[in-house]
Amino acid sequence: MRTTELAGNQVPVIGQGTWHMGEQQSARRREVAALQQGIELGLQLIDTAEMYAEGGAEEVVGEAIQGRREQVFLVSKVYPHNASLRGVPAACERSLRRLGTDHLDLYLLHWRGEYPLADTVEAFERLREQGKIRRWGVSNFDVDDLQELQAPACATNQVLYNPEARGIEFDLLPWQQQQGMPLMAYCPIGQAGRLLRNPALLAVAEKHAASAAQVALAWALRQPGVIVIPKAVDPLHLRQNAEAAALRLDDADLAQLDAAYPPPTRKRALEMV
Ligand SMILES: NC(=O)c1ccc[n+]([C@@H]2O[C@H](COP(=O)([O-])OP(=O)(O)OC[C@H]3O[C@@H](n4cnc5c(N)ncnc54)[C@H](OP(=O)(O)O)[C@@H]3O)[C@@H](O)[C@H]2O)c1
């Protein structure tokens, strides 16, 4: 597995998302097994959030990493409505309890809310001093938010990025690359929707004897400083996602994908789901 630097660690460029895990008791065994299979395949970065199934996804992750905590780079996120000086440590304690661990490797503000950024940052820094989190970062921040944040300690910004949503290439992605701030790309395979049926993606996939999802992942990973966090429960999906790290797209492939999904030529509002 290829790695890149995130928060002072070498992490795999492909991790595992967990949105919609923990929503149904009947799916729990499969979800735990999927996360464990992903760890075995080298997808040791796991992204979760207190929001996902209102703590249910963190519980699934907690079960999956029991006895393997040291193999995993663990990321969780705090709700904006909990992002106050007192709310952050309380939310973090609840996440740690559900995850069955004494620390997070990275704790993100899920999106910007009502509380002053300075309060959230102070709360994150206190947690870092106490060893409850190793580093902190943000999610769904555009360039102006990051400039306002003015925090070299911010380890990452996690945003929507796939061929259907490439507005960040105009300004946010180059800005983060210039600052040396890795970007975590969420929904990298477009939630397995229309993107995976696009003829250009399918043609490039066929050329490489790959799947459309693998092409989408390789496309996001064509540039440095990007980490993708596809969510997969299906064992075949997990294997494909892990193998996508080895897929290299050539100039002709990229031109074909540019024709289907033109790069941005002007500023676009940051897209989110
Ligand atoms: N910070 C934020 O605001 C934010 C927002 C959205 C998401 N996220 C994070 O980013 C992660 C990824 O985003 P997402 O889950 O919304 O969407 P996604 O990863 O783009 O797509 C997930 C869907 O793709 C399917 N899939 C996975 N691998 C596949 C493959 N190789 N071939 C075909 N289908 C495949 C999955 O099916 P199976 O599960 O059946 O395998 C699932 O239905 C989330 O889980 C979450 O951790 C963060």
Side-chain angles (χ1 to χ4, degrees), residues 104-121:
L104 296 171
D105 295 294
L106 187 56
Y107 199 28
L108 308 181
L109 173 59
H110 208 148
W111 64 91
R112 216 179 150 167
E114 303 281 294
Y115 290 109
L117 289 176
D119 287 6
T120 310
V121 169

Side-chain angles (χ1 to χ4, degrees), residues 1 14-16 33-34 37-43 211 213-214 217 230-247:
M1 176 57 64
I14 305 179
Q16 302 190 72
Q37 183 196 350
I39 295 169
E40 301 294 315
L41 289 168
L43 313 177
S211 73
Q214 289 177 314
L217 295 176
K231 172 260 181 189
V233 175
D234 184 317
L236 175 66
H237 289 166
L238 280 157
R239 280 201 301 279
Q240 286 184 351
N241 294 352
E243 284 165 10
L247 175 60

Side-chain angles (χ1 to χ4, degrees), residues 192-227:
R194 255 192 330 214
L195 178 68
L196 299 190
R197 297 189 294 277
N198 179 271
L201 229 77
L202 289 168
V204 173
E206 193 181 349
K207 176 179 144 187
H208 290 278
S211 73
Q214 289 177 314
V215 171
L217 295 176
W219 176 87
L221 294 175
R222 74 195 184 283
Q223 53 225 330
V226 175
I227 294 153

